[in-house]
Amino acid sequence: MNKKTVRDIDVKGKRVFCRVDFNVPMQNGVVTDDTRIRAALPTIQYLMEQGAKVILASHLGRPKGKVVEEMRLNAVAERLSELLGKRVVKTDEAYGDAVKAAIAQMNEGDVLLLENVRFYPGEEKNDPELAKAFAELADVYVNDAFGAAHRAHASTEGIAHHLPAVAGFLMEKEIEVLGKALSNPDRPFTAIIGGAKVKDKIGVIENLLDKVDNLIIGGGLAYTFVKALGHEIGKSLLEEDKIELAKSFMEKAKEKGVNFYMPVDAVVADDFSNDANKKVVNIDEIPSDWEGLDIGPKTRELYRDVILKSKLVIWNGPMGVFEMDAFAEGTKAVAQALADAEGTYTVIGGGDSAAAVEKFELADKMDHISTGGGASLEFMEGKQLPGVVALNDK
Ligand SMILES: Nc1ncnc2c1ncn2[C@@H]1O[C@H](COP(=O)(O)OP(=O)(O)O)[C@@H](O)[C@H]1O
Ligand SMILES: O=C(OP(=O)(O)O)[C@H](O)COP(=O)(O)O
């Protein structure tokens, strides 16, 4: 990565505004998954050890510029205090005089968490005044919020124009792993793209077709490709306006010598529910009033073989409706193949694929699980992430 990191600057005694992504799931005021908090610990602990005054900032949810009580960061501060074994001070605002006063009380190695930055309308508008108000709190800016790096907001982008601005360790690792995959991959390099909609994955398929040896398609979006081959897909998900695009992707794959893998069979159901009637059919035999909700057993075998023969695999998007146990087998089989693949570097794009490997308790078998769904998708589309671009070059 050609951006400066926390290693490149001296932070002793300095006030460090560190943007993290603590956008974590919560229920009844308790953090239910602290993965993103734990992922930021190396940077926070490093800053503490170096004698910085660590001022953390994050968004939570989408409060749309207003205070939403359930989206306060108090529970996050509590969980962070437990993980650090040190009390984290939490302010009720994210800038202004009260916050400045709290910061003035900090000693070297102390940690303070600001209130949800999205309580202010200027955050998502990247309002220069708000960026300045954040910058006034600190001497240095560190961005460790990979999950929000695709957002050009006041605390992820604007502030970087007012202070020395560097990446944290999580940001560095995410960019290096994904960056290496796209620029200098070990081969065979396989991408597995699933999920609901072709529309959401156009950019990533387009970009990856120039880079991969194998492209595996699954999930709801696969049915538009099946339709493009001329097969009936019953009530399966279809994006009529993307059929031509699906055809062009298959043609492009052929031209480029990319092996394009599609489901050869499917688990179809007579209703979109966990206890629907279901059966396995060949992909060209989907009955007219049934819908494909998972890849079938032959497809699972086929995909497993490709995965086991790869040196690098990137996975984004489930193979079926994995939230329902009846249609989780395909996604589980792919996760299991990744877990079993020895000598294969496995990268899980965030979002539902990360949720799936957690659900199947295979997370510790993966080499890298991205903390950003949208961010890793945009990165894989070949887009520049504003939160990274704004940091100081090496
Ligand atoms: N065959 C299918 N039919 C309908 N929905 C599906 C199918 N396969 C997967 N899905 C749904 O797609 C959703 C995930 O899609 P998406 O948001 O695009 O993935 P990601 O978050 O990994 O980018 C899941 O909720 C899953 O249930
Ligand atoms: O959870 C996030 O996105 P993700 O679910 O795509 O990983 C990030 O915190 C970004 O949140 P946002 O999509 O509300 O900007």
Side-chain angles (χ1 to χ4, degrees), residues 214-335:
N214 305 306
L215 184 62
I216 290 178
I217 299 285
L221 62 84
Y223 296 96
T224 297
F225 288 84
V226 175
K227 182 82 177 172
L229 286 178
H231 305 310
E232 285 314 315
I233 58 169
K235 288 185 180 160
S236 310
L237 278 187
L238 171 66
E239 287 156 272
E240 196 89 49
D241 61 336
K242 296 292 177 288
I243 295 176
E244 287 308 312
L245 184 71
K247 278 186 196 160
S248 77
F249 283 154
M250 291 187 275
E251 277 158 22
K252 193 170 166 195
K254 204 178 261 175
E255 278 165 27
K256 294 192 173 283
V258 172
N259 301 309
F260 196 91
Y261 293 95
M262 299 231 311
V264 293
D265 59 355
V267 179
V268 296
D270 62 356
D271 188 24
F272 190 83
S273 83
N274 198 33
D275 39 35
N277 291 307
K278 60 172 187 170
K279 58 185 177 182
V280 174
V281 297
N282 287 328
I283 207 69
D284 55 356
E285 291 170 348
I286 300 177
S288 62
D289 47 359
W290 293 59
E291 60 187 310
L293 295 183
D294 197 6
I295 54 172
K298 280 190 255 170
T299 308
R300 290 172 215 160
E301 273 307 303
L302 172 68
Y303 290 3
R304 182 181 171 86
D305 280 350
V306 178
I307 290 166
L308 294 182
K309 287 182 188 132
S310 302
K311 281 273 179 293
L312 170 66
V313 182
I314 289 187
W315 179 24
N316 182 289
M319 297 291 100
V321 186
F322 75 104
E323 299 93 335
M324 298 183 200
D325 287 345
F327 311 105
E329 288 305 313
T331 304
K332 191 175 183 178
V334 163

Side-chain angles (χ1 to χ4, degrees), residues 19 21-24 36 58-62 118 124 146-151 153 350-352 370-376:
R19 178 58 158 98
D21 185 349
F22 286 168
N23 184 23
V24 292
R36 278 180 167 165
S58 178
H59 72 284
L60 178 85
R62 293 178 173 170
R118 287 196 186 165
E124 290 180 74
F146 174 75
H150 55 320
R151 308 293 184 209
H153 294 171
D352 279 318
S370 178
T371 52
S376 63

Side-chain angles (χ1 to χ4, degrees), residues 21-71:
D21 185 349
F22 286 168
N23 184 23
V24 292
M26 297 220 286
Q27 241 165 24
N28 307 324
V30 177
V31 175
T32 53
D33 178 356
D34 63 2
T35 307
R36 278 180 167 165
I37 304 177
R38 283 187 283 108
L41 290 179
T43 299
I44 298 169
Q45 282 163 335
Y46 176 84
L47 292 171
M48 291 165 73
E49 284 158 19
Q50 297 289 311
K53 297 172 184 173
V54 188
I55 305 158
L56 299 171
S58 178
H59 72 284
L60 178 85
R62 293 178 173 170
K64 303 211 166 90
K66 292 197 189 73
V67 175
V68 176
E69 290 301 326
E70 308 80 72
M71 294 184 189

